[in-house]
Amino acid sequence: LVVTRGAMGGFYAAVPAIGQALIADHVPPARRTATLASLGAANAVGLVAGPALAGVLASIGLATPLYATVWLPIAAVAVLWRSLPRTAVRPAAGGAPLLLRDRRLRRPMLVSFTAYFCVSTAQIIVGFFAIDRLGLAGGDAARVAGMSLTMVGVSLIGSQMVVRRLGWPPARLVRFGSVIGAIGFAMVAASTSSAMLIGAYFLTAFGMGWIFPAFGAMAANAVQAHEQGAAAGAIGAAQGFGTVVGPLVGTLCYELEPSAPYWLIVAMLVPMIVWPMPAGRCPRDRT
């Protein structure tokens, strides 16, 4: 099971990076944030619909959801094979290859790492927080945790649809999304009831939903056309690093005090709020 999960993660890790690179290649810079928000909303729909569909299919047989996870990707590949535009490989425009330490990627990579650190930590500890802080029994805590994470998916859908309509530049979305997220995580740390915890998780996801499409657009707008694939890969690496480090650090902090991981998240979001807006204009896209 562990090997299978590792293989799934290894292959799936390429999907977000490729999706962001395709958007960067075919969408003008002014529309990239909104398009990435649409992609994020689709991901959030999957987060909500997936567990619900698995619950329905499990009534047929415990292995049925696993069979569905085999056929759904095959169907998706068939759709992509027919619908994706055929893109010729572009020769590099010369110069050194794009490196992870490239100055143009520092801001989007740090934002990406921070966002995924925050979200992965919050997902891991919510059930334990409901037990230790709210004093709920195991079954009740599981239900509250499930409702909280369901509201996260719903909020992510709504927030990224708002991003599509706002038309704000990525740096502004990061700043205001961090403000909303920090308020939400502070409310989680201070929660004294199940309703407050669920509502706070909804607010945190609403703020983080503004950040997710923004860092992808920041990276795409910061580099040249032939560097889009490498930039998307760098962002994917930062996401993965945050997803791994977040739960490790979060659980260590939780041992000190149940609310400590949430206050750590608030502290990590503060630099995203006060970081000055980038000066100058991003390079012109050559698509």
Side-chain angles (χ1 to χ4, degrees):
L1 179 62
V2 173
V3 173
T4 302
R5 293 282 293 180
M8 290 169 57
F11 285 105
Y12 177 77
V15 175
I18 293 172
Q20 291 180 19
L22 280 169
I23 289 173
D25 280 343
H26 296 92
V27 178
R31 292 175 44 218
R32 282 176 184 158
T33 304
T35 306
L36 286 168
S38 298
L39 182 64
N43 290 334
V45 170
L47 289 175
V48 175
L53 178 62
V56 172
L57 294 177
S59 63
I60 301 174
L62 292 178
T64 306
L66 297 179
Y67 290 124
T69 61
V70 173
W71 288 106
L72 284 174
I74 294 175
V77 169
V79 172
L80 291 173
W81 186 267
R82 293 180 59 87
S83 60
L84 280 182
R86 299 296 183 261
T87 304
V89 178
R90 296 176 182 160
L98 188 68
L99 302 177
L100 288 177
R101 63 176 183 271
D102 192 295
R103 293 183 59 185
R104 296 171 295 173
L105 296 179
R106 289 178 184 173
R107 187 184 186 110
M109 287 184 67
L110 182 58
V111 174
S112 174
F113 169 82
T114 301
Y116 275 81
F117 181 104
C118 297
V119 169
S120 61
T121 300
Q123 288 177 338
I124 290 294
I125 64 176
V126 59
F128 301 106
F129 187 83
I131 293 173
D132 296 330
R133 174 55 63 86
L134 304 183
L136 300 179
D140 293 334
R143 282 190 290 273
V144 170
M147 292 178 63
S148 299
L149 295 178
T150 299
M151 295 308 293
V152 166
V154 173
S155 182
L156 285 173
I157 296 171
S159 66
Q160 295 189 72
M161 297 309 294
V162 171
V163 168
R164 281 181 51 85
R165 302 183 67 88
L166 284 175
W168 285 2
R172 184 183 298 175
L173 287 172
V174 170
R175 174 168 292 176
F176 282 89
S178 297
V179 170
I180 297 171
I183 293 172
F185 282 114
M187 289 177 59
V188 173
S191 292
T192 56
S193 67
S194 299
M196 185 175 179
L197 179 64
I198 294 170
Y201 261 75
F202 180 91
L203 185 61
T204 62
F206 196 85
M208 302 309 290
W210 289 24
I211 299 175
F212 287 150
F215 58 70
M218 291 171 73
N221 293 344
V223 300
Q224 302 293 337
H226 67 278
E227 299 173 312
Q228 294 296 342
I235 294 301
Q239 293 173 8
F241 191 47
T243 302
V244 172
V245 174
L248 292 175
V249 176
T251 51
L252 290 175
C253 293
Y254 191 89
E255 293 294 325
L256 301 176
E257 211 281 326
S259 64
Y262 296 109
W263 291 120
L264 173 63
I265 290 172
V266 172
M268 293 180 66
L269 289 174
V270 169
M272 303 297 102
I273 299 170
V274 301
W275 198 337
M277 294 286 186
R281 300 181 62 181
C282 60
R284 185 179 300 276
D285 199 322
R286 298 180 182 176
T287 58

